[in-house]
PDB file of all heavy atoms in Angstrom:
ATOM      1  N   VAL A1240      43.964 -19.732   3.386  1.00 94.00           N
ATOM      2  CA  VAL A1240      45.122 -20.009   4.250  1.00 94.00           C
ATOM      3  C   VAL A1240      46.304 -20.427   3.378  1.00 94.00           C
ATOM      4  O   VAL A1240      46.207 -21.397   2.626  1.00 94.00           O
ATOM      5  CB  VAL A1240      44.787 -21.137   5.258  1.00 94.00           C
ATOM      6  CG1 VAL A1240      45.974 -21.396   6.185  1.00 94.00           C
ATOM      7  CG2 VAL A1240      43.542 -20.793   6.069  1.00 94.00           C
ATOM      8  N   CYS A1273      45.266 -25.636  15.066  1.00 85.00           N
ATOM      9  CA  CYS A1273      44.134 -24.748  14.817  1.00 85.00           C
ATOM     10  C   CYS A1273      42.959 -25.455  15.470  1.00 85.00           C
ATOM     11  O   CYS A1273      42.676 -26.607  15.140  1.00 85.00           O
ATOM     12  CB  CYS A1273      43.913 -24.618  13.315  1.00 85.00           C
ATOM     13  SG  CYS A1273      42.301 -23.929  12.947  1.00 85.00           S
ATOM     14  N   TYR A1275      40.040 -25.218  15.013  1.00 87.00           N
ATOM     15  CA  TYR A1275      38.956 -25.516  14.059  1.00 87.00           C
ATOM     16  C   TYR A1275      39.348 -26.645  13.101  1.00 87.00           C
ATOM     17  O   TYR A1275      38.583 -27.011  12.227  1.00 87.00           O
ATOM     18  CB  TYR A1275      38.577 -24.250  13.286  1.00 87.00           C
ATOM     19  CG  TYR A1275      38.108 -23.150  14.219  1.00 87.00           C
ATOM     20  CD1 TYR A1275      38.912 -22.055  14.506  1.00 87.00           C
ATOM     21  CD2 TYR A1275      36.869 -23.232  14.845  1.00 87.00           C
ATOM     22  CE1 TYR A1275      38.489 -21.063  15.382  1.00 87.00           C
ATOM     23  CE2 TYR A1275      36.440 -22.249  15.723  1.00 87.00           C
ATOM     24  CZ  TYR A1275      37.260 -21.174  15.992  1.00 87.00           C
ATOM     25  OH  TYR A1275      36.832 -20.205  16.864  1.00 87.00           O
ATOM     26  N   VAL A1277      41.936 -26.793  10.814  1.00 90.00           N
ATOM     27  CA  VAL A1277      42.444 -26.456   9.477  1.00 90.00           C
ATOM     28  C   VAL A1277      43.684 -27.282   9.139  1.00 90.00           C
ATOM     29  O   VAL A1277      43.895 -27.684   8.002  1.00 90.00           O
ATOM     30  CB  VAL A1277      42.738 -24.935   9.380  1.00 90.00           C
ATOM     31  CG1 VAL A1277      43.405 -24.568   8.060  1.00 90.00           C
ATOM     32  CG2 VAL A1277      41.457 -24.138   9.546  1.00 90.00           C
ATOM     33  N   TYR A1278      44.499 -27.563  10.171  1.00 85.00           N
ATOM     34  CA  TYR A1278      45.726 -28.340   9.927  1.00 85.00           C
ATOM     35  C   TYR A1278      45.545 -29.797  10.371  1.00 85.00           C
ATOM     36  O   TYR A1278      46.480 -30.468  10.755  1.00 85.00           O
ATOM     37  CB  TYR A1278      46.918 -27.688  10.671  1.00 85.00           C
ATOM     38  CG  TYR A1278      47.033 -26.221  10.347  1.00 85.00           C
ATOM     39  CD1 TYR A1278      46.868 -25.252  11.340  1.00 85.00           C
ATOM     40  CD2 TYR A1278      47.260 -25.806   9.046  1.00 85.00           C
ATOM     41  CE1 TYR A1278      46.941 -23.898  11.026  1.00 85.00           C
ATOM     42  CE2 TYR A1278      47.324 -24.458   8.720  1.00 85.00           C
ATOM     43  CZ  TYR A1278      47.166 -23.507   9.717  1.00 85.00           C
ATOM     44  OH  TYR A1278      47.222 -22.178   9.388  1.00 85.00           O
ATOM     45  N   CYS A1292      38.609 -22.636   8.247  1.00 91.00           N
ATOM     46  CA  CYS A1292      39.236 -21.456   8.871  1.00 91.00           C
ATOM     47  C   CYS A1292      38.193 -20.411   9.261  1.00 91.00           C
ATOM     48  O   CYS A1292      37.321 -20.060   8.488  1.00 91.00           O
ATOM     49  CB  CYS A1292      40.258 -20.850   7.919  1.00 91.00           C
ATOM     50  SG  CYS A1292      41.022 -19.378   8.624  1.00 91.00           S
ATOM     51  N   ARG A1293      38.302 -19.915  10.498  1.00 85.00           N
ATOM     52  CA  ARG A1293      37.380 -18.882  10.989  1.00 85.00           C
ATOM     53  C   ARG A1293      38.056 -17.515  11.074  1.00 85.00           C
ATOM     54  O   ARG A1293      37.489 -16.570  11.604  1.00 85.00           O
ATOM     55  CB  ARG A1293      36.884 -19.247  12.392  1.00 85.00           C
ATOM     56  CG  ARG A1293      36.113 -20.535  12.483  1.00 85.00           C
ATOM     57  CD  ARG A1293      34.749 -20.356  11.831  1.00 85.00           C
ATOM     58  NE  ARG A1293      33.965 -21.554  11.971  1.00 85.00           N
ATOM     59  CZ  ARG A1293      32.994 -21.705  12.858  1.00 85.00           C
ATOM     60  NH1 ARG A1293      32.708 -20.740  13.688  1.00 85.00           N
ATOM     61  NH2 ARG A1293      32.298 -22.823  12.896  1.00 85.00           N
ATOM     62  N   GLY A1294      39.294 -17.453  10.658  1.00 87.00           N
ATOM     63  CA  GLY A1294      39.975 -16.161  10.659  1.00 87.00           C
ATOM     64  C   GLY A1294      40.317 -15.625  12.037  1.00 87.00           C
ATOM     65  O   GLY A1294      40.296 -14.419  12.258  1.00 87.00           O
ATOM     66  N   CYS A1295      40.666 -16.515  12.955  1.00 87.00           N
ATOM     67  CA  CYS A1295      41.001 -16.019  14.306  1.00 87.00           C
ATOM     68  C   CYS A1295      42.440 -15.501  14.377  1.00 87.00           C
ATOM     69  O   CYS A1295      42.822 -14.833  15.321  1.00 87.00           O
ATOM     70  CB  CYS A1295      40.796 -17.124  15.334  1.00 87.00           C
ATOM     71  SG  CYS A1295      42.036 -18.420  15.244  1.00 87.00           S
ATOM     72  N   PHE A1296      43.243 -15.838  13.380  1.00 88.00           N
ATOM     73  CA  PHE A1296      44.633 -15.371  13.236  1.00 88.00           C
ATOM     74  C   PHE A1296      45.609 -15.908  14.283  1.00 88.00           C
ATOM     75  O   PHE A1296      46.704 -15.397  14.423  1.00 88.00           O
ATOM     76  CB  PHE A1296      44.698 -13.832  13.188  1.00 88.00           C
ATOM     77  CG  PHE A1296      44.058 -13.281  11.943  1.00 88.00           C
ATOM     78  CD1 PHE A1296      42.816 -12.697  11.994  1.00 88.00           C
ATOM     79  CD2 PHE A1296      44.693 -13.393  10.724  1.00 88.00           C
ATOM     80  CE1 PHE A1296      42.205 -12.235  10.841  1.00 88.00           C
ATOM     81  CE2 PHE A1296      44.090 -12.931   9.566  1.00 88.00           C
ATOM     82  CZ  PHE A1296      42.846 -12.351   9.630  1.00 88.00           C
ATOM     83  N   ARG A1297      45.201 -16.919  15.002  1.00 88.00           N
ATOM     84  CA  ARG A1297      46.112 -17.478  15.999  1.00 88.00           C
ATOM     85  C   ARG A1297      47.375 -18.025  15.314  1.00 88.00           C
ATOM     86  O   ARG A1297      48.490 -17.757  15.742  1.00 88.00           O
ATOM     87  CB  ARG A1297      45.402 -18.605  16.769  1.00 88.00           C
ATOM     88  CG  ARG A1297      46.319 -19.258  17.765  1.00 88.00           C
ATOM     89  CD  ARG A1297      45.665 -20.409  18.480  1.00 88.00           C
ATOM     90  NE  ARG A1297      46.683 -21.155  19.198  1.00 88.00           N
ATOM     91  CZ  ARG A1297      46.450 -22.277  19.818  1.00 88.00           C
ATOM     92  NH1 ARG A1297      45.250 -22.799  19.841  1.00 88.00           N
ATOM     93  NH2 ARG A1297      47.414 -22.907  20.443  1.00 88.00           N
ATOM     94  N   CYS A1298      47.159 -18.792  14.219  1.00 89.00           N
ATOM     95  CA  CYS A1298      48.306 -19.404  13.557  1.00 89.00           C
ATOM     96  C   CYS A1298      49.246 -18.347  12.986  1.00 89.00           C
ATOM     97  O   CYS A1298      50.460 -18.516  12.977  1.00 89.00           O
ATOM     98  CB  CYS A1298      47.842 -20.370  12.466  1.00 89.00           C
ATOM     99  SG  CYS A1298      46.808 -19.600  11.233  1.00 89.00           S
ATOM    100  N   VAL A1308      46.890 -15.581   6.403  1.00 94.00           N
ATOM    101  CA  VAL A1308      45.439 -15.796   6.302  1.00 94.00           C
ATOM    102  C   VAL A1308      44.857 -14.523   5.702  1.00 94.00           C
ATOM    103  O   VAL A1308      45.015 -13.438   6.257  1.00 94.00           O
ATOM    104  CB  VAL A1308      44.823 -16.106   7.687  1.00 94.00           C
ATOM    105  CG1 VAL A1308      43.298 -16.172   7.587  1.00 94.00           C
ATOM    106  CG2 VAL A1308      45.360 -17.429   8.220  1.00 94.00           C
TER     107      VAL A1308
HETATM  108  S1  SF4 B2938      43.372 -18.211  11.382  1.00 67.27           S
HETATM  109 FE1  SF4 B2938      42.578 -19.365  13.138  1.00 67.27          FE
HETATM  110  S2  SF4 B2938      41.006 -20.613  12.225  1.00 67.27           S
HETATM  111 FE2  SF4 B2938      42.257 -19.922  10.539  1.00 67.27          FE
HETATM  112  S3  SF4 B2938      43.791 -21.501  10.270  1.00 67.27           S
HETATM  113 FE3  SF4 B2938      44.700 -20.007  11.642  1.00 67.27          FE
HETATM  114  S4  SF4 B2938      44.225 -20.798  13.652  1.00 67.27           S
HETATM  115 FE4  SF4 B2938      42.869 -21.855  12.286  1.00 67.27          FE
END
Side-chain angles (χ1 to χ4, degrees):
V1240 182
C1273 164
Y1275 300 106
V1277 174
Y1278 308 116
C1292 179
R1293 299 289 183 102
C1295 72
F1296 293 104
R1297 177 183 168 186
C1298 58
V1308 174

